[in-house]
Amino acid sequence: MTAHPSTVETTRPPFWRDLRVLRAFAQVAAVAGAIFLFRWILGNVTTNLESVGIRTDFGFLNGPAGFQVANSDFEPAQPVSDVILVGVRNTFALAILGIPLLTIFGVLVGVARLSPNWLVSKAATTYVETLRNIPPLLVILFTNALILLLPRIQEAATPFGWFVISNRSISVPWIANGSGAGTYWMVLAGTLLGAVGIWVWRTRRSDASGEPHHRVLWSGLFFIGVAVVAYLLLDDPIALSRPELEGLVVTGGFLTLANYVTVLIALSLYTASHVAEIVRGSIQAVAKGQVEAANALALGSFQRLRFVILPQAFRIALPPIINQYLNFVKNTSLALAIGYAEVTTIVFQVIGNGNPAPQSIVLLMAVYLTFSLVISLIVNYVNRRIQYVVN
Amino acid sequence: MAATTPVQSSRRPSAPTFVQWSRKNLFPNWYNSVLSIIFGALFVWLGFSLFRWILVTADWEIVIRNLTLFMVGQFPRDELGRQVGSIILIAAAIGLLAGAATANARARAMEAGLPFDISTPRDWLQRFWPMLLLVVILLSLTRTITPTLMTIAALVVGVAARYLGLYLPSAARRRASLIFAVLVVAAVLVLWGFGGVPPDRWGGLHLTFVLTVSGIVLAFPLGLMLALGRRSTLPAVRLLSVTYIEFIRGVPLITLLLMGIFALGFMLPPGVDPSSFVRILVAITLFEAAYLAENVRGGLQGVPKGQTEAAQAVGLAPWKTMRLIVLPQALRSVIPAMVGQFISLYKDTSLVYIVGITDVLYVSKLVNAQPEFFGQGLSRVTLPFVGLIYWVGSYTMSRESRRLEKKLGVGER
């Protein structure tokens, strides 16, 4: 009557319609294609470099760099690998100050955009809509044009005798180590650990008994107290060093190059406009019921923001904000346009000194990929830590 | 019951007077009053300085003398007629597409029995005032009548094309994007073909537009492939796509541009030496594809699984399921995100400045090297001018993208 079931089972489609065969074939083809393309490019690079007599390995990293780097004790005779490390350090110097700056400013502007005060919110909106719609490179170039308005080094401004400001460099007072400074710094590090311990202790105690924790007061007083006592005992281990202008050289203090300040300010302002938008969106994403509940508890507007809205908005905002940090780090490469010696500028100079371009740029990309990888690992870790666990 | 109605209507709040409004929005308590005074003073001072700078202090001579350079770079001056022809063709293309799109939307609304408001000139003014302002500013800086005549011609052609698009027969209307593409290709041919000017000699704002549009258009197929690859059930294909996307997204565009300028020649067979234009276009395309892929992936993930299952239930092959069911829905929902990507690329093309390609930003550097303007710090005039051009394009597009988002009901479906 009906077909025998076994004939249905044994009928396999022909191999060109067999899904398993097709899947295997597609993957092998894709991988083979990728490998072929890669080999082809590599082969071309090798042939081309050899035909013009440029080496094809990374041995150039051991050769002398042959150029100096501003505001660094790098010697031209040192190898290329060292100068690239100087560049990485300078990129890092931008990130370490820029990220806190842009975060603080971005959060302030983002909160201001939602202010009930019409003028404040309009000011924040103007700022965000202006900066967000202009290329970051243009912001850097324009800031550079403004910084060039500062006096020349010969006529550097010295406000209050504490700063030396010129269009070449900007110096701020800094700590100078005297005798016994090493001991003092170690004491301070130990005290900091102690202060953190006190902080944790006060928090736990407050959680357990409900008495006010006063943790800022406790650990602050402890830290300051020990720092002052140690300072007196060690007989002036550190001192404040003022920058001073001697001819064309600034001595003492801490010297930052004008183009470092340019990139720092320009990129922080630019990225802050993006952070502000994220902050605004996150605050608006906090459920309306939370605000109403805070009002029902008669919290003031500051308390409402500090204890109810911001902690929740923070969870929503953090991953995209860290993404903006990554963008900031990638955008520091624009410093090439005004010659601040971060890693892209350095690699550009390395290539200009006759070192092979393909390898140098691959190395540069590897540097940025490392930055990206580290930051995305942080994002993943933070995401796991701060998200509510919903089961 | 009857008595309450008039009471309510009489209590309807009238528009607040300025004093009421400012008491609520500016001076509700002491610290807001302080803030209002500080920011009010700041606004007045900034506005005053800005206007004084624009109208009195700044010397716009450098822009006026070099306006053609800003617009088209080193495009041969005796071939400028080609630019005029191509601009008019583009205006026709945009007008036709806008008209046909409106007509299509109206037809769909009528089929569904929904009301449809056709946009009035007032709506257009509200949407595109920054662009109009820019055009007026640019024309006010010209020294001859030709650019004004060209703008008027382009406007007339554009408006005429829009009406043509509105009343096209429906068969032609549905192929409006094809007509659009043909007109754009014609515009390129007018510039390049018939013994014209090759892209290597294009420059200024024109080059910025060309790089943005061709970057997106060329990157789209690659981005689509990568997005499908990343969503593929084949592990090897997925791995390759993810590697590519994450690699590109992990490095700054400038490294790819450097790669294009300094190293692309080494990667090709000996003897092949692409022009700088091709080199940066390759870099931009490879870069943009990774970001577009992520956008499209978002759209693909947003298509409910039921759609695929329904397609399988009616017996569609996997390829047809993707092409006829999933992709149209996915792509429709990512249009706003892709406009956003378009805006980023528009801003990112300025990076070609660093490798010495004459885009509109680089012209600002060029004119400051001219003997009569050298060393006077006039980049403080040219950079805001270029910034305004970028701002207008980017701001208008981002507002349009928000409008599209609302219109398409992304997330509401």
Side-chain angles (χ1 to χ4, degrees):
Chain A
M1 240 157 66
T2 53
H4 200 271
S6 69
T7 57
V8 178
E9 270 171 29
T10 50
T11 306
R12 291 272 308 271
F15 72 89
W16 65 88
R17 300 198 51 160
D18 189 335
L19 210 54
R20 276 180 300 178
V21 177
L22 282 180
R23 285 172 61 95
F25 176 75
Q27 300 194 58
V28 170
V31 173
I35 292 177
F36 175 77
L37 186 69
F38 193 70
R39 289 285 301 270
W40 182 72
I41 290 174
L42 212 61
N44 281 334
V45 169
T46 318
T47 322
N48 286 322
L49 286 181
E50 271 167 3
S51 73
V52 289
I54 303 176
R55 58 191 308 166
T56 53
D57 57 0
F58 282 88
F60 71 96
L61 288 175
N62 299 321
F67 60 89
Q68 280 185 319
V69 180
N71 198 21
S72 123
D73 43 15
F74 182 79
E75 297 288 333
Q78 282 178 266
V80 171
S81 53
D82 282 9
V83 81
I84 291 180
L85 283 182
V86 171
V88 172
R89 203 194 62 198
N90 282 345
T91 300
F92 213 74
L94 280 172
I96 207 104
L97 259 188
I99 286 176
L101 258 178
L102 73 91
T103 312
I104 294 169
F105 197 54
V107 171
L108 278 181
V109 175
V111 173
R113 274 203 82 172
L114 295 171
S115 161
N117 188 315
W118 187 82
L119 273 172
V120 172
S121 88
K122 277 287 171 284
T125 309
T126 312
Y127 170 79
V128 168
E129 290 295 351
T130 310
L131 261 285
R132 229 161 51 107
N133 290 311
I134 291 178
L137 178 58
L138 199 146
V139 182
I140 291 178
L141 291 175
F142 187 65
T143 314
N144 190 43
L146 293 184
I147 292 266
L148 286 180
L149 283 177
L150 293 174
R152 295 183 307 154
I153 186 83
Q154 288 89 337
E155 298 127 21
T158 51
F160 318 116
W162 286 96
F163 304 90
V164 176
I165 298 175
S166 72
N167 61 14
R168 191 194 292 174
S169 63
I170 292 162
S171 294
V172 293
W174 200 246
I175 298 157
N177 290 332
S179 60
T183 327
Y184 187 62
W185 286 118
M186 276 199 294
V187 170
L188 280 194
T191 317
L192 193 65
L193 278 181
V196 170
I198 291 178
W199 181 286
V200 172
W201 167 63
R202 291 302 306 170
T203 312
R204 289 217 180 122
R205 206 180 146 91
S206 161
D207 285 350
S209 66
E211 68 179 275
H213 48 65
H214 294 310
R215 53 192 179 195
V216 180
L217 197 71
W218 276 73
S219 38
L221 276 183
F222 173 72
F223 184 81
I224 293 170
V226 175
V228 168
V229 169
Y231 183 84
L232 295 175
L233 284 180
L234 285 167
D235 194 22
D236 298 351
I238 56 170
L240 205 56
S241 136
R242 285 191 200 191
E244 263 167 75
L245 188 65
E246 289 167 12
L248 296 182
V249 186
V250 183
T251 55
F254 186 78
L255 184 132
T256 55
L257 291 172
N259 49 14
Y260 168 80
V261 177
T262 304
V263 179
L264 185 71
I265 292 177
L267 277 186
S268 300
L269 289 181
Y270 175 78
T271 316
S273 71
H274 289 259
V275 170
E277 275 302 90
I278 294 169
V279 169
R280 181 181 70 116
S282 312
I283 290 178
Q284 284 176 333
V286 173
K288 217 176 155 65
Q290 297 287 329
V291 179
E292 287 162 0
N295 285 340
L297 291 174
L299 296 188
S301 63
F302 174 75
Q303 287 175 316
R304 194 176 60 209
L305 201 63
R306 164 71 184 80
F307 295 109
V308 178
I309 298 172
L310 282 186
Q312 298 185 60
F314 175 72
R315 284 165 204 273
I316 307 171
L318 201 59
I321 285 183
I322 297 181
N323 231 345
Q324 286 301 326
Y325 296 165
L326 178 58
N327 279 344
F328 178 88
V329 172
K330 286 197 285 178
N331 277 339
T332 55
S333 60
L334 300 180
L336 175 55
I338 59 164
Y340 174 66
E342 49 70 66
V343 65
T344 307
T345 313
I346 294 278
V347 168
F348 191 77
Q349 279 175 309
V350 165
I351 296 172
N353 273 16
N355 292 298
Q359 293 99 305
S360 307
I361 298 175
V362 164
L363 208 63
L364 178 64
M365 288 176 161
V367 168
Y368 283 109
L369 277 177
T370 315
F371 274 121
S372 305
L373 198 68
V374 169
I375 291 183
S376 64
L377 285 180
I378 294 174
V379 174
N380 288 341
Y381 174 75
V382 166
N383 248 340
R384 270 204 309 278
R385 281 300 299 274
I386 66 165
Q387 294 308 328
Y388 287 123
V389 179
V390 184
N391 279 324
Chain B
M1 190 73 185
T4 52
T5 323
V7 171
Q8 273 181 351
S9 71
S10 73
R11 268 201 204 149
R12 226 170 59 201
S14 54
T17 63
F18 178 72
V19 174
Q20 284 170 328
W21 179 87
S22 57
R23 193 165 286 164
K24 180 164 177 284
N25 291 301
L26 298 178
F27 306 103
N29 43 36
W30 69 266
Y31 57 86
N32 263 311
S33 308
V34 172
L35 279 178
S36 293
I37 290 166
I38 294 174
F39 275 87
L42 196 72
F43 259 112
V44 170
W45 179 72
L46 274 181
F48 176 72
S49 333
L50 191 66
F51 271 97
R52 204 185 52 173
W53 180 77
I54 291 173
L55 298 174
V56 183
T57 322
D59 184 6
W60 296 100
E61 183 67 17
I62 185 170
V63 175
I64 294 171
R65 295 259 295 271
N66 291 297
L67 198 60
T68 322
L69 202 58
F70 275 106
M71 292 299 114
V72 295
Q74 265 123 0
F75 198 89
R77 294 296 182 262
D78 46 354
E79 300 274 2
L80 278 179
R82 290 174 180 274
Q83 285 281 2
V84 176
S86 115
I87 285 173
I88 288 178
L89 276 173
I90 296 279
I94 292 174
L96 202 67
L97 192 67
T102 311
N104 280 336
R106 188 176 55 187
R108 271 200 305 274
M110 273 165 75
E111 263 172 42
L114 295 169
F116 183 77
D117 300 322
I118 201 155
S119 49
T120 58
R122 194 157 162 272
D123 298 336
W124 285 83
L125 205 64
Q126 261 174 3
R127 279 165 62 188
F128 296 108
W129 68 263
M131 288 212 170
L132 270 178
L133 186 71
L134 179 66
V135 169
V136 169
I137 290 176
L138 288 181
L139 289 181
S140 73
L141 294 172
T142 54
R143 288 178 300 176
T144 57
I145 192 76
T146 332
T148 314
L149 290 179
M150 184 198 75
T151 311
I152 292 172
L155 265 179
V156 168
V157 169
V159 170
R162 178 167 177 271
Y163 279 100
L164 188 68
L166 269 178
Y167 299 109
L168 270 182
S170 63
R173 219 167 51 204
R174 284 196 206 97
R175 288 177 187 80
S177 24
L178 191 69
I179 306 175
F180 176 80
V182 168
L183 282 173
V184 171
V185 169
V188 174
L189 275 183
V190 165
L191 288 173
W192 193 355
F194 316 111
V197 186
D200 292 321
R201 297 172 69 192
W202 298 356
L205 186 59
H206 176 229
L207 182 67
T208 299
F209 286 156
V210 169
L211 284 178
T212 313
V213 174
S214 44
I216 285 278
V217 170
L218 292 176
F220 185 73
L222 187 57
L224 191 59
M225 265 171 55
L226 286 167
L228 292 177
R230 195 166 185 171
R231 296 270 295 164
S232 163
T233 50
L234 308 174
V237 174
R238 206 163 52 222
L239 184 72
L240 285 176
S241 307
V242 170
T243 311
Y244 179 84
I245 293 172
E246 293 307 325
F247 171 75
I248 296 286
R249 275 158 42 97
V251 299
L253 174 56
I254 187 71
T255 58
L256 285 167
L257 287 174
L258 291 179
M259 190 68 112
I261 291 291
F262 291 121
L264 189 66
F266 289 123
M267 296 178 181
L268 299 171
V272 183
D273 186 24
S275 65
S276 311
F277 177 80
V278 174
R279 284 163 185 257
I280 53 170
L281 200 52
V282 167
I284 287 178
T285 306
L286 292 180
F287 178 77
E288 208 52 26
Y291 287 85
L292 280 183
E294 285 299 90
N295 285 344
V296 174
R297 181 169 75 116
L300 288 174
Q301 280 173 342
V303 177
K305 209 165 163 20
Q307 296 286 328
T308 318
E309 288 165 357
Q312 284 164 348
V314 297
L316 285 186
W319 163 242
K320 281 198 164 173
T321 307
M322 188 50 78
R323 196 171 64 87
L324 298 174
I325 308 295
V326 178
L327 269 187
Q329 299 184 54
L331 291 183
R332 178 171 156 273
S333 68
V334 296
I335 289 173
M338 288 212 278
V339 176
Q341 202 50 51
F342 190 80
I343 300 171
S344 325
L345 180 57
Y346 175 60
K347 291 191 293 172
D348 280 346
T349 54
S350 62
L351 265 60
V352 301
Y353 168 97
I354 292 176
V355 289
I357 305 287
T358 322
D359 76 326
V360 63
L361 187 56
Y362 194 78
V363 172
S364 140
K365 184 178 180 176
L366 278 184
V367 295
N368 275 291
Q370 289 170 342
E372 62 267 50
F373 300 117
F374 179 75
Q376 299 169 26
L378 285 175
S379 57
R380 288 191 292 277
V381 175
T382 54
L383 285 175
F385 172 71
V386 174
L388 176 75
I389 293 179
Y390 277 109
W391 182 83
V392 163
S394 176
Y395 180 70
T396 313
M397 280 191 286
S398 70
R399 286 210 314 188
E400 284 299 294
S401 133
R402 252 172 276 165
R403 197 172 151 270
L404 264 174
E405 215 166 300
K406 263 191 212 142
K407 212 165 119 187
L408 290 174
V410 174
E412 293 163 24
R413 209 191 306 274

